[in-house]
């Protein structure tokens, strides 16, 4: 629908009408840019025990009915879309305080809290979507981890917001390029369900591509 009022540029990009980035791609990228490209550029997927556990957990959470307890409305499997940010995806749960109307995204994870901010970035991106959809400021959310059965509050600070916007830019550049980065083998590879497709040890040792490029490159 056309609007006479000019829309502001996409937050963090300076552009308009960019292809949408799936929220899930942000966590895939934070885990490994090559994994992100394999899944979202090459449409590759494989499941292992860890991903199966995560899938079952999300099916259990997302499949539940909305409910109200102690003045809080719990909405499950909430579809999110942010045109200005170019994001789309699903939040496991959004809690709404019936007294204040404030919203809080909650993401469920199979494992335990991670040393990096990959989970916090995905959750913050959900909050940014909710802010664009509702016009209200989302101050905090929460991560629930199955292994520890513990809920971790997450404050959407200016630093986390900036880190999230930067991650969105990086993921968009990767998806727009259509390329897949070369592997960098590390400890995280052992937990990746795509390790047989990726072959990080094999490809990392294969120097023939670089050798040929060196011979014929400018």
């Amino acid at each position: 629908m056309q609007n006479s009022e000019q829309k502001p540029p996409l937050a963090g990009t300076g552009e308009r009408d960019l292809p949408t980035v799936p929220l899930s791609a942000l966590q895939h990228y934070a885990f490994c840019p090559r994994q992100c490209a394999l899944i979202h550029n090459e449409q590759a997927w494989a499941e292992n025990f860890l991903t199966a556990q995560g899938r079952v957990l999300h099916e259990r959470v997302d499949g539940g009915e909305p409910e109200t307890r102690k003045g809080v409305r719990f909405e499950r499997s909430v579809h999110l879309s942010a045109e200005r940010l170019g994001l789309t995806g699903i939040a496991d749960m959004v809690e709404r305080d019936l007294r204040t109307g404030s919203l809080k995204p909650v993401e469920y994870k199979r494992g335990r809290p991670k040393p990096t901010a990959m989970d916090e970035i995905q959750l913050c991106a959900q909050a940014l979507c909710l802010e664009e959809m509702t016009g209200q400021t989302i101050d905090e959310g929460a991560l629930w981890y199955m292994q520890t059965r513990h809920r971790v509050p997450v404050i959407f600070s200016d630093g986390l917001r900036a880190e999230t916007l930067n991650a969105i830019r990086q993921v968009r550049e990767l998806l727009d390029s259509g390329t897949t980065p070369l592997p960098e083998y590390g400890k995280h590879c052992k937990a990746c369900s795509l390790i047989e497709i990726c072959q990080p040890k094999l490809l990392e040792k294969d120097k023939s591509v670089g050798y040929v490029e060196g011979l014929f490159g400018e």
Side-chain angles (χ1 to χ4, degrees):
M1 180 180 296
Q2 296 294 326
N3 193 320
S4 59
E5 181 181 356
Q6 187 176 16
K7 293 182 179 179
L10 291 168
T13 65
E15 302 179 31
R16 293 191 181 92
D17 300 326
L18 293 178
T20 54
V21 169
L23 287 168
S24 60
L26 299 177
Q27 191 187 42
H28 293 147
Y29 184 89
F31 178 79
C32 172
R34 179 172 170 82
Q35 185 202 65
C36 181
L38 286 171
I39 294 173
H40 298 279
N41 281 348
E42 299 190 19
Q43 304 300 307
W45 179 249
E47 191 161 80
N48 61 11
F49 176 72
L50 300 179
T51 59
Q53 271 193 333
R55 175 176 53 77
V56 171
L57 172 64
H58 282 89
E59 287 175 353
R60 187 186 312 144
V61 174
D62 297 345
E65 294 295 324
E67 58 181 311
T68 301
R69 287 186 277 113
K70 296 181 179 180
V72 177
R73 178 69 172 175
F74 300 90
E75 296 287 348
R76 304 172 189 272
S77 190
V78 178
H79 290 256
L80 303 175
S81 178
E83 181 181 353
R84 289 180 58 242
L85 284 170
L87 288 175
T88 186
I90 298 176
D92 287 337
M93 181 181 294
V94 175
E95 298 177 357
R96 180 165 64 92
D97 188 304
L98 297 181
R99 183 178 61 86
T100 65
S102 62
L103 301 175
K104 178 185 295 185
V106 180
E107 182 72 11
Y108 285 73
K109 297 296 181 184
R110 180 207 63 82
R112 60 180 65 245
K114 301 174 180 61
T116 66
M118 66 173 70
D119 292 343
E120 287 82 357
I121 286 174
Q122 184 184 19
L123 187 69
C124 185
Q126 293 178 9
L128 294 176
C129 288
L130 285 171
E131 288 182 341
E132 184 173 324
M133 293 170 69
T134 66
Q136 70 169 263
T137 299
I138 313 296
D139 295 319
E140 65 177 299
L143 294 163
W144 189 90
Y145 291 94
M146 186 175 74
Q147 282 191 15
T148 61
R149 303 195 70 82
H150 184 62
R151 178 170 168 141
V152 179
V154 177
I155 303 298
F156 302 128
S157 64
D158 290 342
L160 180 56
R161 288 170 180 268
E163 192 173 358
T164 301
L165 290 173
N166 186 52
I168 295 169
R169 284 194 294 268
Q170 290 176 328
V171 172
R172 176 170 285 111
E173 289 172 2
L174 176 65
L175 299 188
D176 286 350
S177 72
T179 61
T180 300
L182 293 174
E184 294 184 13
Y185 183 77
K187 292 181 179 179
H188 65 287
C189 294
K190 296 179 181 179
C192 180
S193 66
L194 300 183
I195 188 168
E196 294 301 322
I197 297 173
C198 177
Q199 295 290 317
K201 284 187 175 181
L202 178 64
L203 292 178
E204 192 175 48
K205 291 179 180 179
D206 185 0
K207 305 298 183 182
S208 60
V209 174
Y211 174 72
V212 173
E213 289 179 348
L215 287 177
F216 296 97
E218 296 181 358

